[in-house]
Amino acid sequence: MNSVKILKILTAALLATACSNDATLEEENRVEVRQPMVFGAPAAQAETVVTRSGTPLEGTFKTFKVGTWKAFGQATQQNVMNGYRVEYSETAFTDYGDGYNWHYESIGSQVLRYWDLSAFPYEFRAIAPYDDHTDITTAGITINCTDDYYFKSETRAGDNTNKGCEPYVACHVTRIQQADGTYEDTDIIKNEHINTAGKANATREVHMPFHHLMTKVGFRVFIDNPAPEQKPYHVILESMTISIHGKDGQFITESKTYTASNTDELKLGAFTTNTTVPTTVAAPYTLLSHGQYYEPAGSATLLNLHQHLHRENAYDLTPGELLQIPQEDVEIKVEVKIKTNFNEETGELWDVGGTDYHEETYSRWLNIMHDEDAQEPSHFTWLPDNKYIFYLRIGNIHEHEIYLDTCEILPWDDVQTTDIDVGL
């Protein structure tokens, strides 16, 4: 009996010293049945769920790095996966009972971890892909990219896009006890529950929803009908330039370092300045420039905006949107040149095949107040994991009116695929 008491005292003392450092400690297993902690979608699972990533994670990254704590934030907290490497295999592993494509056991010195059902809440933080340039700690995450692989914005000139880069996506999950005593997997980045009712044992599975650290921005243009009683008429889009002015005259275009120290907002970190890659450029920064537009691209048919009336049928200037580094206080200036065969003096149409076209040039700051006379630009905030679609409206092609009709903010995350879950 005394030996049992001494053992209990020693165990309690050991747990009391397992505070919030980031050294991996051998976990104390306090369940009768040792159940392995497994990453992956079991082959037996038929349902399709949502993984939040630009494409299915297994199609983009074959690895991810994970930090896992049990009893997170408590005196007995233990780090049971200190930057573990998790790999994807095309052939499912059967060692865990059902067959899983994601595995970590025996990679280097990594050992199989087991659930301690008395040590909630669990905390999971991950970065994909795995490499030595990323760190996951209780303080947050830090990414230090290589010289040739870093966060970079996209620009579009003509029909060609200067490709950007988003080398990493991040995930943050904790397991919160509900009023009924069950535990709900919670996506801290999105602040929403992510367990699904269809799971056989929802209290023992954790979905890993990876999110974008960058954002996407797109532009579309449409016109009002200038002469509805006269057809056909042409409104030719001669050129379009969209330039960006960032905060304090600077705009972030590239960064090698990303740091998120707020443990509840891993996606709202900072893209910091570094010496080897320029992160900012002085305004204006040309995001889009295009000469004569043709539809379809590469054809001999000039784009006629008469075919793009109303927002629902706006012409997409940036198919697929442009990848950008999130930032605040963005100002947007639009310059556009059009020509039309509508004769203002007579109210009639010039011959489409002739050379008599009326030209107009518009240049203005985008303003969310829908004030055509506003000269001061609005300031926009681009948050990560979102898509911003700016609809440019030419309200009257003969009175130099072009303004922001609306900015549509969409989630950039829903991809139907198999999930990445921690299952038993």
Side-chain angles (χ1 to χ4, degrees), residues 64-102:
F64 64 87
K65 176 182 282 189
V66 63
T68 304
W69 296 262
K70 70 176 184 177
F72 187 75
Q74 303 176 22
T76 56
Q77 173 178 307
Q78 292 183 20
N79 185 195
V80 295
M81 291 186 185
N82 188 16
Y84 265 35
R85 179 186 178 98
V86 185
E87 296 182 352
Y88 179 81
S89 172
E90 299 293 341
T91 303
F93 283 73
T94 59
D95 297 351
Y96 310 131
D98 293 324
Y100 290 82
N101 292 85
W102 294 93

Side-chain angles (χ1 to χ4, degrees), residues 27 52 62 81 97 108 116 120 128 228 240 246 267 395:
E27 60 179 321
R52 290 175 172 84
K62 299 297 184 183
M81 291 186 185
D116 182 348
F120 292 109
M240 173 77 75
K267 72 171 183 178

Side-chain angles (χ1 to χ4, degrees), residues 340-358:
T340 176
N341 63 331
F342 183 76
N343 190 330
E344 289 184 274
E345 296 180 357
T346 66
E348 298 177 351
L349 299 180
W350 280 306
D351 181 10
V352 172
T355 59
D356 294 326
Y357 273 83
H358 180 75

Side-chain angles (χ1 to χ4, degrees), residues 150-405:
Y150 46 84
F151 296 95
K152 182 179 180 181
S153 72
E154 287 182 340
T155 59
R156 184 171 174 84
D159 294 322
N160 300 314
T161 299
N162 181 17
K163 290 296 183 182
C165 184
E166 183 186 41
Y168 298 94
V169 291
C171 169
H172 187 183
V173 175
T174 192
R175 312 194 72 209
I176 299 176
Q177 188 171 19
Q178 306 302 301
D180 62 0
T182 62
Y183 286 85
E184 189 76 31
D185 305 335
T186 301
D187 177 355
I188 299 297
I189 291 181
K190 285 287 190 181
N191 192 28
E192 60 186 27
H193 297 316
I194 56 177
N195 255 342
T196 60
K199 294 297 180 183
N201 191 341
T203 64
R204 298 184 185 181
E205 292 183 349
V206 176
H207 304 267
M208 300 288 283
F210 284 84
H211 295 285
H212 299 279
L213 298 176
M214 297 183 71
T215 187
K216 277 198 168 186
V217 177
F219 296 90
R220 299 173 187 176
V221 62
F222 67 96
I223 66 173
D224 289 340
N225 198 339
E229 74 285 355
Q230 302 217 35
K231 295 184 179 181
Y233 68 86
H234 280 199
V235 179
I236 307 296
L237 186 56
E238 285 280 89
S239 65
M240 173 77 75
T241 301
I242 296 176
S243 57
I244 304 297
H245 295 238
K247 186 176 182 180
D248 300 325
Q250 299 292 313
F251 181 73
I252 304 174
T253 61
E254 300 173 336
S255 181
K256 286 181 60 179
T257 303
Y258 177 84
T259 303
S261 58
N262 184 340
T263 56
D264 288 338
E265 294 289 347
L266 293 188
K267 72 171 183 178
L268 298 179
F271 293 90
T272 56
T273 303
N274 44 75
T275 57
T276 57
V277 174
T279 59
T280 59
V281 295
Y285 176 67
T286 302
L287 205 64
L288 179 146
S289 61
H290 207 305
Q292 194 95 297
Y293 281 82
Y294 295 88
E295 192 174 26
S299 73
T301 304
L302 291 175
L303 172 66
N304 184 5
L305 287 178
H306 181 202
Q307 307 301 320
H308 299 278
L309 304 176
H310 315 300
R311 187 172 68 219
E312 295 74 15
N313 194 33
Y315 178 75
D316 192 351
L317 297 162
T318 53
E321 293 79 51
L322 299 175
L323 189 67
Q324 302 298 321
I325 294 177
Q327 50 202 296
E328 298 178 350
D329 294 332
V330 175
E331 301 172 355
I332 303 173
K333 190 173 186 178
V334 176
E335 299 176 75
V336 60
K337 179 185 290 186
I338 64 172
K339 67 178 183 179
T340 176
N341 63 331
F342 183 76
N343 190 330
E344 289 184 274
E345 296 180 357
T346 66
E348 298 177 351
L349 299 180
W350 280 306
D351 181 10
V352 172
T355 59
D356 294 326
Y357 273 83
H358 180 75
E359 286 193 342
E360 292 285 359
T361 300
Y362 309 88
S363 179
R364 67 176 296 107
W365 295 98
L366 294 189
N367 191 290
I368 60 175
M369 300 305 293
H370 296 187
D371 182 359
E372 292 84 354
D373 298 323
Q375 298 300 315
E376 293 297 321
S378 291
H379 293 250
F380 301 95
T381 296
W382 294 347
L383 294 175
D385 212 31
N386 285 324
K387 292 193 296 186
Y388 296 84
I389 310 297
F390 293 89
Y391 286 86
L392 311 177
R393 178 179 181 180
I394 301 177
N396 187 322
I397 62 175
H398 304 304
E399 295 183 8
H400 302 268
E401 295 178 4
I402 182 170
Y403 52 92
L404 176 64
D405 181 81

